[in-house]
Amino acid sequence: MTSAHTDPAHLPQSYGSRAALLIADVDGDPWGSVRPSLYETARVLSFAPWLSGHERRLAWLRQQQHPDGSWGEGPAPYRLLPTLSVVEALLSALRFDTAPGAGRERLAAATAAGLAALRNLPPTGPWPDTAAIEILVPSLVAQINEHLDQQEFGALPPLGPWSRGFRLPLPNGFRHTLPDQIAQRCRSAGSVPEKLHHTYEGIARLPHAEVALPGGLFGSSPAATAAWVAAAPGSVAGRDQAVTELTAVARRYDGLFPEAAPISVFERLWVAAALAGPGLPHTCRATVRSWAGQIYDPAGVRGAPGLMPDADDTAMAVLVAALAGEPRDPAPLSAFETGTNYDCYVGEDTGSATANAHALQALGAYLRFQPAAAVVHRPRMNLVRDWLLAQQQPEGAWPDKWHASPYYATSRCVTALAREGHPRTRDAIRSAADWVLETQRNDGSWGIWDGTAEETAYAVNILLRADDLIRQPHSTDALDRAETALLAASHTPGHRHPALWHDKTLYAPEAMVQAEVTAALELLRTRHR
């Protein structure tokens, strides 16, 4: 949530002043600047209708519905999960009579429109690679069909002439048995693995998870925490604490819930790294050093108290410490080593280009302070470099599972590879820059769906990095046009950055995006010197 201090229309001209204000805003907010999530808010509404603010959540969900009946941001495949989540929550409210009487007809109409939108979604996707979508979608479809089965018993108001006997089909590519299979494995093991805590609501029909709460939300997720509370016996240890945590998050977000809370570790690391691109202003160094000291953990860094340690946050903690002039040992990254690269977390299914790019960048930054450590880290860096090169797509871009846009991943990979000085990295960077030049929009911006300030900032970074190594034809004109586009976006009052980041659904970490845009504008300004 951008404050008046970080609203571009009110920012001073000095980069140091802009960066300092953004750092101060981030430092003063222990939660992180991210908007409420339709998916999470609907899950809490369904699992915890007794929680204060229930009517506020019902009204807000109905207000967010699109004219076509769907919910969510991005193209149609991205709307599958949020629409399923809201439809299930509204059906639950109608079935169990937790909706206010005067609003039942409006909720029934919204539910019917949502079901119609689900029927009209493209049945084959392709579906986005968001967190645990393979578990959450079949789980919600099963719950929706359970509600719909109650129509014949009068437990639901009329939803339309077509709805009697209707059952929502499972979209292609999903297995309806997967949530129960995972639940059965957890029963057999006697616990829920930490990897599943963040998306626990997808398997919440299993007996209550015998896990200790970490001093925050279960799995850092409001939805998972509400599901944990719903499955918990009334006297179980930690239940009151979980309710207290949910209430605190709701208070911060005016009765609603974000995708994860808090995101302060993730936010502080990414903001600091972005602002260090043009050079970290002196006025920011003390705060960033404090962040780095608090976040770095020899056992590996967790993005939030309820999450597993991961290579991405660990690498960024090492990188930011080095950028702030107080290097930290990258030894914690060794827990995530595979034969060729780094897993983002132990038990990962698909690798992340950006996590590996951050690890390569972090190791390189550390070696600039400790060159003797190259004998330990250089062989691993060479493996990661080669793995990253192998992930590049033929057109020159890199994809990644943590972001919808290839401009983010490509910017991260180019930044990491630019310091490697290997002949193959020059070719890869040239290919990436060619792709960027070919995909610029007529207004000077870049974007996977529409032109955005965020993706334009990433594209600018790619071209500037490429220009440091190879003089790229036409890059000067492209960068001039990009600067015009970024300045126009930065002077638009109330400009809202689209949601492009992957968790369970799309979200927008506002301060992180603003840091990228602010840094890109400074890099564009200083290239004229």
Side-chain angles (χ1 to χ4, degrees):
M1 297 177 184
T2 305
S3 76
H5 291 301
T6 54
D7 183 342
H10 298 90
L11 284 175
Q13 295 304 306
S14 160
Y15 176 66
S17 297
R18 290 188 181 204
L21 285 170
L22 185 53
I23 290 284
D25 276 350
V26 171
D27 192 54
D29 182 2
W31 294 96
S33 56
V34 65
R35 298 191 290 267
S37 161
L38 287 160
Y39 171 84
E40 295 285 321
T41 300
R43 294 298 79 227
V44 173
L45 185 138
S46 182
F47 282 113
W50 40 264
L51 191 68
S52 177
H54 182 74
E55 291 189 17
R56 154 76 170 137
R57 289 185 277 280
L58 276 172
W60 181 76
L61 290 173
R62 189 173 58 80
Q63 291 161 5
Q64 303 305 307
Q65 190 170 28
H66 295 294
D68 69 354
S70 68
W71 281 269
E73 297 192 58
Y78 278 93
R79 296 188 185 187
L80 170 63
L81 191 58
T83 302
L84 285 170
S85 183
V86 179
V87 166
E88 192 286 325
L90 299 187
L91 283 168
S92 179
L94 291 167
R95 177 182 171 188
F96 298 112
D97 202 27
T98 64
R104 281 181 65 81
E105 288 187 9
R106 291 195 298 272
L107 287 180
T111 304
L115 285 167
L118 289 169
R119 294 171 68 199
N120 293 330
L121 279 174
T124 57
W127 311 114
D129 186 18
T130 48
I133 189 172
E134 72 280 6
I135 300 171
L136 300 177
V137 165
S139 175
L140 283 167
V141 168
Q143 292 175 62
I144 287 171
N145 285 331
E146 284 185 11
H147 292 313
L148 293 175
D149 287 345
Q150 298 303 308
Q151 289 183 97
E152 61 182 292
F153 304 111
L156 291 173
L159 299 174
W162 55 268
S163 68
R164 184 70 65 180
F166 171 73
R167 290 182 65 81
L168 188 65
L170 186 67
N172 290 348
F174 296 98
R175 291 193 293 125
H176 69 88
T177 58
L178 184 59
D180 285 340
Q181 288 174 352
I182 293 173
Q184 184 55 48
R185 288 180 211 150
C186 294
R187 285 192 193 94
S188 299
S191 64
V192 179
E194 195 172 14
K195 175 185 175 182
L196 295 177
H197 288 187
H198 185 59
T199 53
Y200 172 72
E201 70 273 13
I203 54 170
R205 299 182 185 203
L206 55 76
H208 174 66
E210 293 297 336
V211 291
L213 290 178
L217 295 176
F218 183 45
S220 86
S221 162
T225 305
W228 185 89
V229 170
S235 60
V236 72
R239 190 180 188 281
D240 290 345
Q241 176 196 345
V243 173
T244 298
E245 296 291 344
L246 280 173
T247 302
V249 178
R251 188 179 303 115
R252 166 62 173 81
Y253 289 93
D254 190 25
L256 310 176
F257 294 91
E259 199 85 358
I263 65 161
S264 54
V265 167
F266 175 42
E267 179 180 76
R268 291 176 180 191
L269 293 174
W270 266 249
V271 165
L275 294 177
L280 192 64
H282 176 75
T283 53
C284 302
R285 288 184 174 271
T287 302
V288 171
R289 284 174 179 159
S290 174
W291 289 352
Q294 293 166 9
I295 291 171
Y296 177 84
D297 188 336
V301 176
R302 301 171 186 263
L307 298 179
M308 301 172 68
D310 68 88
D312 210 6
D313 287 287
T314 301
M316 288 294 278
V318 173
L319 173 62
V320 168
L323 293 173
E326 293 188 354
R328 301 284 179 143
D329 192 339
L333 280 170
S334 62
F336 309 100
E337 290 179 2
T338 71
T340 57
N341 61 296
Y342 290 97
D343 277 345
C344 196
Y345 52 86
V346 176
E348 183 179 46
D349 296 323
T350 55
S352 165
T354 58
N356 280 273
H358 291 150
L360 181 59
Q361 195 180 356
L363 292 172
Y366 179 74
L367 291 186
R368 290 194 284 279
F369 288 90
Q370 300 290 341
V375 66
V376 175
H377 298 300
R378 176 45 65 181
R380 169 59 51 180
M381 292 172 69
N382 291 342
L383 288 171
V384 174
R385 176 200 65 208
D386 292 345
W387 185 86
L388 284 174
L389 290 171
Q391 309 309 307
Q392 189 176 26
Q393 301 298 296
E395 72 274 13
W398 276 268
D400 194 62
K401 65 182 181 181
W402 299 122
H403 204 285
S405 174
Y407 293 100
Y408 170 70
T410 303
S411 175
R412 287 331 208 222
C413 291
V414 165
T415 298
L417 293 171
R419 290 186 173 271
E420 285 301 287
H422 190 278
R424 289 176 61 209
T425 65
R426 292 174 66 89
D427 292 340
I429 292 169
R430 181 180 289 107
S431 178
D434 286 343
W435 168 70
V436 168
L437 289 170
E438 290 168 3
T439 56
Q440 189 173 27
R441 294 174 178 270
N442 291 336
D443 65 355
S445 69
W446 283 268
I448 186 66
W449 302 318
D450 296 304
T452 70
E454 177 184 356
E455 292 166 281
T456 301
Y458 299 141
V460 163
N461 188 61
I462 294 164
L463 292 180
L464 291 174
R465 296 282 181 182
D467 268 0
D468 286 343
L469 297 176
I470 47 176
R471 294 308 301 174
Q472 199 73 3
H474 312 302
S475 66
T476 299
D477 176 65
L479 289 168
D480 286 343
R481 293 167 59 214
E483 187 170 12
T484 300
L486 282 177
L487 286 169
S490 295
H491 289 90
T492 301
H495 178 76
R496 169 174 158 147
H497 296 291
L500 294 169
W501 292 71
H502 281 183
D503 193 347
K504 300 173 198 177
T505 58
L506 291 173
Y507 71 104
E510 299 281 352
M512 292 157 56
V513 174
Q514 192 56 48
E516 295 287 350
V517 173
T518 301
L521 280 169
E522 178 65 7
L523 289 169
L524 286 166
R525 187 183 68 82
T526 56
R527 76 189 168 103
H528 298 303
R529 290 177 182 172

